[in-house]
Amino acid sequence: MSLNVWKYILIILTLFGLIFLLPNITTEETWKYHIVSAIFKVQNRLQATNLSGTLQTFRNNHTFCSHLGKPLSHKEELEERKLLNSITWPQVPSGSEPLNLSQTSDPAHSLFTIVLSKKDQRWYVGDQLEVLVHLHDFQGRPKRYGGDFLLARLHSPKYKAGVAGQVLDHKNGLYSARFPLLWEGSAQVEVMMVHSSEAVAVLRRLREKLPHRVFFVSLFRRGLISETTACDTCLPQDQGPLCNYTDLRSGEPWYCYKPKKLDCDTRLDHARAGYLKNITTNSESLLFQSGVNIKVPIHANTTNTITVLQSRKENGGKKTDPVKLATSGYYYQDSWRPLGDVAMRKFDTPAAISQCLADKVVYMYGDSTVRQWYEYLVTVLPEMKEFNLHTPKKAGPLMAVDDNHNIVLNYRCHGPPIMYTTIMANELRYIANELDGLTGGPNTVVAISIWAHFSPFPGEVYIRRLRHIRTAVVRLLERAPGTVVVVRTGNPRALDRDVSLNHSDWFTLQLDIMLRAMFKGLNVMLLDAWQMCVAHHKPHDVHPPKVIVKNMVNMLLSYACRERTRKTA
Ligand SMILES: *[C@@H]1O[C@H](CO)[C@@H](O)[C@H](O)[C@H]1NC(C)=O
Ligand SMILES: *[C@@H]1O[C@H](CO)[C@@H](O)[C@H](O)[C@H]1NC(C)=O
Ligand SMILES: *[C@@H]1O[C@H](CO)[C@@H](O)[C@H](O)[C@H]1NC(C)=O
Ligand SMILES: *[C@@H]1O[C@H](CO)[C@@H](O)[C@H](O)[C@H]1NC(C)=O
Ligand SMILES: *[C@@H]1O[C@H](CO)[C@@H](O)[C@H](O)[C@H]1NC(C)=O
Ligand SMILES: *[C@@H]1O[C@H](CO)[C@@H](O)[C@H](O)[C@H]1NC(C)=O
Ligand SMILES: *[C@@H]1O[C@H](CO)[C@@H](O)[C@H](O)[C@H]1NC(C)=O
Ligand SMILES: *[C@@H]1O[C@H](CO)[C@@H](O)[C@H](O)[C@H]1NC(C)=O
C-alpha cells in the first residue's frame, strides 16, 4: 500500500517537474515521446513484478481478451478457426530441447541444386524451374525436419528482371523452390534462409505466450494535472479500474488504466512506450544473429545459373501451371508485369498520372507503407499542392490537391495499435468507420494498407480488424459499386535480432495469408507487395524503395483507370 502511494507521488512529482521546468517541450513531438516513454519506464519498473507478471499469464488468455471485445457470431468463429488453421506451420519435433545451436539450421552449411529438366536439359520460356534446397545444421549434418522459413527468387541483373519463387516444405529438411520461366536469357537462382525452424519456434512461442510485447500509453491531462497510464486491446482488470475506449460502431476494443486523479475523457494522446525486454533466453538469442542465421543466402552446390531459351512453340497455355498461378507478376527492366487480371499501363509522365486521377478523390488509409504512395504522388505531380494541416508528418492526416485536374489525395493512419509516433487521441480513427463515412462511386479511389503494426499481435486481433474493414468495404461497394478499392499486402523488411522478435517477416507472412483469404472474392484489387518486394533486387525494407513504390502506384492507377463497362454513374 505505502509503496503504491510513493510510486504515484513520484510519478506526479516527475510530471509536475516536467510541466513547470520545461513548459515548451510538449510542443515538440519527439521530446514528448521520450518523456512519455521515460515516465512509463519508471512506472513500469515500479510495477514490473505485477504488470509483466500478470500480463504474461493473462494476455495469453484468449477467453479473457475476447471477453472484453464483442462476442463472435458462430459464422465469425468458424471463419476465425479456418483462418488460424490456414497458417499452421510445421513444428520442430518436441524432445529436441535443450536447444543447442550446433543442431539448428545453418545456411552456410546448407545448399541447393537445380533440378535438371528431364527431357533435354534445356529450359524454355513457359517452363517451370525447380530447385531442391538441402538444409544442414552447424555441424554439416542434414536436417531431418521442416519448418525453416526460406525465400527464393529467380533474377537476371542484365534485364533487371526477377520473380519470386514458391517454396514447398517437404518436412524432412528438404525444400523445393519453383519458378515460372517468364523471360529469355541467363537467369540466377537466389535462396535465403530468413529464419531457422528453431527460430520460428521461438517466434511462435512469443506470439502465443507474449502476444502483447509492445506497451502503449496515453497521456491524460486537465489543467496542470497529467497522468500517463498503460493501454492495450485488453488489460488485466485486477490491476485497477479501466477506461473503456471500445469503438461503439465497430466494437474494436481499446482500454487504458484509469488515471488516479483524472477522468477517462481527459485522454490526450496515444503512443508506443516500449517493448517487453529480455523475452528470449541466451540460447534462443543465438538463433537470431545477423549474418549467421537471419536472412543469410544459401549457396548453390554447383551452379545457380540457367539459360532460358525462347519458347519452343506458342503452346496456347494448355496446362495451367500451378506455380504461375501463385505468381502475381514479375519484373522486367524494373517494371512490374502482373500476371493477374489487371493489365499494367504506363504512367511514366506526370501528365499520364494526372489524366488518370483527374476528377478523383483518393483516400489512403493505414500504415506508413500506404503513406509512401501519397508521398510519391505528391512528389511526382508538379501541380499537386500539399496543404499544411499542422499535423505530424508521419501520422497525418495529410491532404494534397491538384486544382487544375480536380484531384484530391488524403492520407489517414489506422487506429490503435498504431505505434509509429505520438498521435492525438481525437485523431485515432478506425478504417472501417472512415469507409462508412464515404459516399463512394467511380470517382472515389480507396487504398488500404494495414499490416506492419499488427505483427507482434496474435492472429485474432488482426482477423477482427480485417473483418470490420471487410464489412465496411462490402457496404461501400454495395452502395457505390463503381468505387475503386485496393488492398495492399505486407512486405518483407530488413531484420536484425530485435526487429525479428517483434516484427519478423514470419509474422508478416502469416498475417498476409489471412489478409488474402479475407478479401478473396470481393471486387477489390489485392496488390501483392510481398512478391513485388521478394522479386526485386533491392534489399528488403519495411518502406520499399522508390522504384518499387512507383510500380505499386502504377498498379493502383492501372486498376483505377482500367477499361470498364460503366453501368450507372
Ligand atoms: C518558450 O516559448 C516561448 C514562445 O515560443 C519563448 O518566448 C520562450 O523563451 C520559451 N521558453 C523557454 C524556457 O524556452
Ligand atoms: C502484485 O499482485 C499480487 C496479486 O496478483 C499482490 O498480492 C501483490 O501485493 C502485488 N504487488 C504489488 C507490489 O503491488
Ligand atoms: C481466462 O480468463 C477467464 C475469465 O477471466 C477465466 O475464467 C479463466 O480461468 C482463464 N483461463 C486461464 C487458462 O487462465
Ligand atoms: C552442443 O553441441 C556441441 C557439439 O556437439 C557440444 O560440444 C556441446 O556440449 C553441446 N552443448 C550442449 C549444451 O548440449
Ligand atoms: C466496453 O465497452 C463496450 C462497448 O460499450 C462493451 O461492449 C464492453 O463490455 C465494455 N467492456 C468492459 C470491460 O466493460
Ligand atoms: C532475463 O531473464 C532471465 C530468465 O529468462 C533471467 O535469469 C535474467 O536475470 C533476466 N535479465 C534481466 C536483465 O532482467
Ligand atoms: C553436390 O555436389 C557434389 C559434387 O558435384 C556431389 O557429389 C554432391 O552429391 C552434391 N550434393 C547434392 C546434395 O546434390
Ligand atoms: C523489439 O523487441 C526487443 C526485445 O523485446 C526490444 O529490445 C527491441 O527494442 C524491440 N525493437 C524493435 C525495433 O522492434
Side-chain angles (χ1 to χ4, degrees), residues 59 81 83 101 117 140 216 340 371 424-425 457 470 488:
R59 287 184 171 193
R81 222 172 301 155
L83 287 166
L101 181 70
S117 60
F216 294 93
R371 191 187 65 222
M424 300 314 286
F457 290 90
R470 181 182 60 189
R488 182 201 191 280

Side-chain angles (χ1 to χ4, degrees), residues 14-33:
T14 315
L15 282 166
F16 267 69
L18 290 169
I19 290 163
F20 287 123
L21 297 174
L22 304 165
N24 288 0
I25 261 172
T26 42
T27 53
E28 240 342 296
E29 221 198 347
T30 49
W31 271 103
K32 189 159 80 184
Y33 174 75

